[in-house]
């Protein structure tokens, strides 16, 4: 970090570039890959973690993870056998994150209420 504040500006530019790249890849995956494709599901997992950890946009992260999970669940019967294991493993990670994030959110709300 520099004293002139350029580091935070650089960080913002990098975050914006990363978000744009993720968004472009995610839109392409939705247009060309099945909801159960392990690449599409793992991209949603990584993009949702980016929103949660880097952008601190917890609602967007949870919405994205839940939608990817729900979309994949809806297509699970059509899942090719050779990708079943990979896809369901990544779906488990999505669900684990959603559980963790909702727990953290509830704890944060409880702490705010105690402080008021």
């Amino acid at each position: 970090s520099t004293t002139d504040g350029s580091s935070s500006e650089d960080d913002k530019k990098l975050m914006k570039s990363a978000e744009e790249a993720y968004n472009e890849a995610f839109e392409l995956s939705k247009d060309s890959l099945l909801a159960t494709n392990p690449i599409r599901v793992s991209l949603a997992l990584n993009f949702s973690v980016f929103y949660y950890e880097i952008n601190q946009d917890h609602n967007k992260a949870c919405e994205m993870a839940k939608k990817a999970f729900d979309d994949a669940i809806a297509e699970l019967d059509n899942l090719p056998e050779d990708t079943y294991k990979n896809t369901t493993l990544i779906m488990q990670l999505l669900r684990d994150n959603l559980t963790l994030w909702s727990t953290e959110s509830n704890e944060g709300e409880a702490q705010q209420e105690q402080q008021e």
Side-chain angles (χ1 to χ4, degrees):
S1 194
T2 58
T3 54
D4 65 3
S6 64
S7 175
S8 65
E9 279 304 308
D10 288 346
D11 288 350
K12 286 178 186 171
K13 285 179 186 172
L14 285 172
M15 284 171 52
K16 182 140 183 64
S17 293
E19 183 176 5
E20 288 169 357
Y22 264 126
N23 204 43
E24 185 177 347
F26 194 61
E27 290 304 315
L28 280 171
S29 78
K30 290 194 297 187
D31 290 342
S32 57
L33 301 173
L34 295 173
T36 54
N37 183 291
I39 294 171
R40 179 172 163 180
V41 180
S42 61
L43 182 58
L45 172 68
N46 289 328
F47 198 7
S48 65
V49 169
F50 170 82
Y51 272 120
Y52 195 88
E53 298 288 337
I54 307 299
N55 274 12
Q56 299 292 309
D57 188 342
H58 297 180
N59 289 337
K60 180 90 170 170
C62 289
E63 286 171 18
M64 177 172 287
K66 183 172 181 355
K67 177 148 181 38
F69 184 85
D70 290 346
D71 289 351
I73 283 282
E75 296 294 323
L76 216 48
D77 291 341
N78 305 325
L79 186 59
E81 201 172 312
D82 60 334
T83 61
Y84 186 85
K85 188 176 180 183
N86 282 343
T87 298
T88 53
L89 184 64
I90 300 162
M91 289 173 65
Q92 180 66 50
L93 294 172
L94 280 168
R95 195 171 69 194
D96 290 349
N97 282 354
L98 282 166
T99 302
L100 176 68
W101 294 342
S102 63
T103 302
E104 287 177 356
S105 175
N106 292 340
E107 287 173 0
E109 288 170 11
Q111 285 176 347
Q112 280 184 333
E113 288 173 9
Q114 287 174 351
Q115 290 173 354
E116 290 175 354

